[in-house]
């Protein structure tokens, strides 16, 4: 186990400088999905990216993954510009991202197989990560036989098994019920604490960002409008959200999202 759970990310640095990504609509008008965005993320940081729908979060994540090009500016990982997908950057989508025609163990080993890791080694690594996410008992099952929460565990195990330097997650737990979401947050943090890749995690959920992040970056209209460091001690629980620091962060984040006024109105009416 020890050889798998060593950090592949020592000294990792992710730099975004004046990044812009624009789209032209069918009517001819131009939309700046990401507009002059700059951010530096250092080794082992867990960053949550929050903001209203349509603010550019997912577009930025896809550029970090190399799935969309940068119109201007630069995205650089360890001094090398990102110009396409790479196993150095693992991506977990909101929708199910497991292959339905592969058994669980083969899904978990997929990235390793793509890198031409020999079968014995990749099966060993895949089993270790399935054990860490609590799925050893279903390694020979088909995805159709698993619940939504279990499918997310497979996706998380798959991306960690490939030892990425950067892990990108696009609202991966958004469709799950509250209890399953908390469980999966714990699974994710447990794996991250062992291997420590840089994490960029997109979420609409302010509480989720406070439970997970070292830093919370807020986007509006494609721009960075706030960058907040969260110093709450780990491990965090739901009770941590009642601490004064968490409450202050939450109020500021809700204000950015335009929700604080709604909550204040509810309190007045109550």
């Amino acid at each position: 186990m020890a050889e798998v759970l060593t950090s592949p990310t020592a000294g990792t640095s992710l730099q975004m400088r004046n990044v812009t990504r624009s789209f032209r609509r069918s009517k001819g008008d131009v939309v700046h999905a990401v507009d002059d965005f700059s951010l530096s993320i250092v080794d082992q940081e867990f960053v949550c990216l929050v903001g209203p729908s349509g603010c550019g979060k997912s577009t930025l994540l896809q550029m970090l993954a190399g799935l969309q090009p940068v119109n201007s500016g630069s995205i650089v990982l360890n001094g090398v510009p990102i110009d396409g997908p790479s196993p150095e950057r693992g991506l977990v989508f909101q929708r199910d991202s497991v292959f339905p025609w592969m058994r669980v163990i083969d899904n978990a080993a997929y990235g390793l197989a793509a890198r031409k890791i020999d079968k014995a080694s990749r099966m060993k690594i895949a089993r270790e990560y399935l054990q860490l996410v609590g799925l050893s008992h279903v390694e020979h099952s088909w995805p159709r036989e698993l619940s939504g929460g279990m499918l997310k565990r497979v996706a998380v195990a798959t991306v960690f098994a490939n030892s990425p330097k950067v892990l990108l997650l696009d609202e991966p737990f958004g469709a799950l019920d509250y209890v399953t979401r908390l469980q999966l947050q714990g699974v994710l943090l447990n794996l991250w604490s062992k291997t420590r890749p840089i994490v960029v995690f997109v979420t609409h959920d302010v509480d989720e960002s406070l439970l997970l992040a070292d830093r919370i970056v807020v986007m509006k209209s494609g721009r960075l409008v706030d960058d907040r460091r969260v110093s709450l001690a780990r491990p965090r629980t739901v009770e941590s959200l009642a601490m004064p620091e968490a409450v202050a962060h939450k109020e500021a984040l809700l204000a950015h999202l335009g929700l604080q006024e709604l909550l204040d109105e509810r309190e007045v009416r109550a």
Side-chain angles (χ1 to χ4, degrees):
M1 185 78 70
E3 65 178 281
V4 177
L5 301 180
T6 54
S7 173
T9 65
T12 299
S13 173
L14 181 61
Q15 308 287 330
M16 290 153 265
R17 290 286 180 266
N18 307 112
V19 175
T20 298
R21 175 63 174 156
S22 301
F23 300 92
R24 187 175 297 277
R25 291 175 172 164
S26 57
K27 295 181 179 180
D29 57 322
V30 176
V31 176
H32 298 290
V34 178
D35 188 9
D36 196 30
F37 186 97
S38 296
L39 182 68
S40 296
I41 305 177
V42 300
D43 189 34
Q44 304 185 10
E45 276 195 308
F46 197 124
V47 175
C48 277
L49 193 60
V50 303
S53 295
C55 72
K57 303 185 302 296
S58 294
T59 299
L60 180 62
L61 204 74
Q62 290 188 31
M63 287 192 291
L64 293 173
L67 299 177
Q68 290 197 34
V70 173
N71 291 140
S72 62
S74 63
I75 303 177
V76 177
L77 176 61
N78 292 342
V80 180
I82 291 175
D83 59 4
S86 166
E88 289 188 326
R89 286 165 276 120
L91 180 61
V92 178
F93 296 97
Q94 181 176 9
R95 64 183 183 274
D96 290 339
S97 54
V98 299
F99 297 121
W101 59 86
M102 290 184 179
R103 295 184 186 272
V104 167
I105 184 68
D106 296 314
N107 266 283
Y110 177 79
L112 299 166
R115 290 166 51 203
K116 309 300 183 184
I117 305 298
D118 68 90
K119 185 173 182 179
S121 296
R122 67 178 183 257
M123 290 296 109
K124 178 177 182 293
I125 294 169
R127 286 193 173 95
E128 288 172 348
Y129 278 93
L130 287 175
Q131 180 181 8
L132 286 169
V133 300
L135 291 182
S136 295
H137 62 296
V138 295
E139 69 171 59
H140 295 299
S141 298
W142 297 101
R144 64 176 178 272
E145 299 171 325
L146 305 185
S147 67
M150 294 171 80
L151 289 172
K152 287 300 178 187
R153 290 174 187 254
V154 175
V156 170
T158 300
V159 73
F160 270 101
N162 211 31
S163 299
K165 291 187 169 81
V166 178
L167 177 58
L168 308 166
L169 303 104
D170 193 359
E171 296 192 79
F173 309 143
L176 302 176
D177 64 84
Y178 178 72
V179 173
T180 304
R181 174 182 282 205
L182 287 177
Q183 291 172 341
L184 267 292
Q185 290 167 357
V187 168
L188 174 62
L189 287 173
N190 180 52
L191 287 176
W192 173 72
S193 71
K194 296 177 185 298
T195 58
R196 293 282 179 164
I198 283 176
V199 174
V200 183
F201 186 107
V202 169
T203 180
H204 281 97
D205 189 321
V206 169
D207 287 350
E208 182 171 60
S209 69
L210 289 167
L211 288 170
L212 295 177
D214 296 316
R215 291 165 66 192
I216 302 175
V217 173
V218 183
M219 289 185 72
K220 271 187 180 180
S221 302
R223 289 179 171 268
L224 187 154
V225 297
D226 199 358
D227 185 353
R228 312 181 68 84
R229 185 161 295 280
V230 181
S231 58
L232 294 168
R234 296 184 185 276
R236 299 171 193 165
T237 64
V238 174
E239 288 73 25
S240 302
L241 300 177
M243 298 180 68
E245 179 189 345
V247 172
H249 282 311
K250 184 169 183 176
E251 289 177 350
L253 293 168
L254 290 175
H256 280 305
L257 296 173
L259 297 177
Q260 186 60 55
E261 295 85 354
L262 295 176
L263 294 177
D264 290 342
E265 287 179 11
R266 287 183 182 179
E267 290 181 3
V268 169
R269 291 172 183 172

